[in-house]
Amino acid sequence: MATFPVINLEKLNGEERAATMEQIKDACENWGFFELLNHGIPHDFLDTVERLTREHYKKCMEQRFKELVASKALEGLQAEVTDMDWESTFFLRHLPESNMAEIPDLSHEYSQVMKEFALKLEKLAEELLDLLCENLGLEKGYLKNAFHGTRGPTFGTKVSNYPPCPTPDKIKGLRAHTDAGGIILLFQDAQVSGLQLLKDGKWVDVPPMRHSIVINLGDQLEVITNGKYKSVEHRVIAQTNGARMSIASFYNPGGDAVIHPAPALVEKEAEEKKQLYPKFVFEDYMKLYAGLKFQAKEPRFEAMKARETTLPIATA
């Protein structure tokens, strides 16, 4: 099987630009995932994010996880648990407005660092969207504009810890799903693995790599590219040894953004393949996704197609 794509972003600045763009294109078309090195976020800053995240979990989240998740999940356990995940999480919203002040027990230092991290990731997400535009033959800024809506994109971070699990065969760290949104940027544990993606019917490990950022594509990019790029099913396997840290940031369309295949990409398709995907308002898709996250994406697309209305198509 082909090797999981690892891309050195520094090479975009030299003679290897064309080959690196080809790597990104292949990763988007055939994997839906890739891992970035030399992405511009300083290593010492990432070390600080990791240290503060682990400290916050130990101090504020660990006991709650034991009481709420661990005891419930393991109580009288016979068959596989399919209605919950072996994870401890909290969610930080950055755009259109921050919820940082509302998160309990967040130290001043940690909240300041996470604000700075969000700004760095937002910049990286927008750089990546323009690289995708270049590969797709879309004008620069097309994807950013498609996500914009009236108030700009929605951007947030899910901070997760996956403690050691005594019965990893009975419960997943996180059940298999595709991501509903746009482009996802993951800073994951460098030691403890667990993230897997589905490729050609087989589960493949996403290798832990120190100071890397893992990128994956969400359902909205599949729609906008008219299926040229695909969102890919992935899951987290619980581990018996070691606690895994995961910080996933979601650069998504604004709630009122109208999502549809890019006309330039539809025009390139053969007649019978014209527009494969529906047109919808992003928040309507999210309402549907909320109840169907752990099910196949295709029925979600079909449901949106069935309720498709004469929504205006932005020409951006």
Side-chain angles (χ1 to χ4, degrees):
M1 183 180 265
T3 314
F4 184 85
V6 177
I7 293 163
N8 181 351
L9 267 196
E10 251 180 5
K11 292 188 174 178
L12 287 173
N13 302 321
E15 293 171 2
E16 294 179 70
R17 180 182 168 81
T20 305
M21 289 299 288
E22 191 57 39
Q23 270 187 300
I24 294 170
K25 179 172 178 279
D26 180 71
C28 290
E29 290 181 357
N30 298 309
W31 289 83
F33 268 80
F34 51 96
E35 199 149 3
L36 290 181
L37 301 176
N38 296 315
H39 38 65
I41 301 176
H43 290 181
D44 59 348
F45 181 78
L46 290 174
D47 290 340
T48 301
V49 170
E50 180 173 353
R51 174 179 62 79
L52 293 172
T53 298
R54 291 190 188 281
E55 284 174 7
H56 180 265
Y57 172 73
K58 274 277 179 213
K59 186 179 167 194
C60 307
M61 308 283 291
E62 188 172 40
Q63 191 55 38
R64 198 179 317 159
F65 173 81
K66 287 174 181 171
E67 290 165 6
L68 294 181
V69 180
S71 58
K72 188 180 169 194
L74 301 176
E75 198 176 295
L77 191 59
Q78 301 292 327
E80 185 174 356
V81 178
T82 57
D83 62 347
M84 65 188 297
D85 303 300
W86 189 266
E87 66 171 356
S88 166
T89 67
F90 64 97
F91 194 82
L92 301 174
R93 192 174 63 246
H94 312 300
L95 297 173
E97 60 274 312
S98 173
N99 72 342
M100 209 86 85
E102 300 155 29
I103 305 294
D105 309 320
L106 216 57
S107 73
H108 178 71
E109 183 188 13
Y110 190 29
S111 64
Q112 292 305 113
V113 164
M114 292 307 279
K115 271 181 197 167
E116 191 181 340
F117 192 29
L119 289 171
K120 292 179 190 298
L121 289 170
E122 182 189 350
K123 179 171 174 281
L124 179 58
E126 291 176 354
E127 285 170 9
L128 289 168
L129 288 176
D130 276 343
L131 293 175
L132 267 54
C133 283
E134 190 177 329
N135 272 337
L136 289 161
L138 297 170
E139 65 191 49
K140 187 175 181 179
Y142 180 91
L143 290 170
K144 184 181 173 185
N145 289 339
F147 281 20
H148 197 273
T150 56
R151 301 177 66 204
T154 310
F155 188 47
T157 299
K158 179 187 175 191
V159 182
S160 306
N161 280 275
Y162 298 92
C165 177
T167 56
D169 56 324
K170 292 284 199 297
I171 187 168
K172 297 285 182 292
L174 181 58
R175 289 160 285 166
H177 63 289
T178 65
D179 288 326
I183 191 164
I184 298 87
L185 305 94
L186 169 69
F187 175 42
Q188 68 164 348
D189 204 292
Q191 265 80 46
V192 182
S193 64
L195 179 61
Q196 297 182 327
L197 65 96
L198 193 62
K199 178 163 171 60
D200 304 326
K202 292 183 179 150
W203 288 104
V204 178
D205 290 329
V206 175
M209 208 171 277
R210 191 152 177 75
H211 300 133
S212 73
I213 300 287
V214 176
I215 306 299
N216 73 284
L217 311 181
D219 294 349
Q220 307 312 303
L221 282 176
E222 179 167 338
V223 172
I224 294 170
T225 65
N226 205 33
K228 191 170 177 65
Y229 295 169
K230 296 276 199 299
S231 61
V232 169
E233 211 173 319
H234 52 285
R235 67 183 186 183
V236 176
I237 297 297
Q239 306 286 358
T240 49
N241 297 313
R244 177 176 178 269
M245 179 205 72
S246 158
I247 303 174
S249 295
F250 300 80
Y251 187 100
N252 291 346
D256 64 354
V258 178
I259 302 300
H260 56 84
L265 298 181
V266 176
E267 284 156 20
K268 290 179 184 174
E269 296 287 354
E271 199 60 45
E272 69 276 7
K273 279 187 72 182
K274 277 292 183 182
Q275 184 165 321
L276 300 176
Y277 290 84
K279 179 174 54 167
F280 51 83
V281 175
F282 178 61
E283 65 187 358
D284 291 342
Y285 187 85
M286 287 307 289
K287 284 172 193 165
L288 182 70
Y289 179 85
L292 303 172
K293 175 176 176 175
F294 299 108
Q295 296 177 30
K297 63 187 168 182
E298 290 77 12
R300 298 198 290 266
F301 293 148
E302 286 305 316
M304 296 315 291
K305 205 158 202 167
R307 62 169 88 162
E308 209 167 353
T309 54
T310 51
L311 293 165
I313 287 192
T315 52

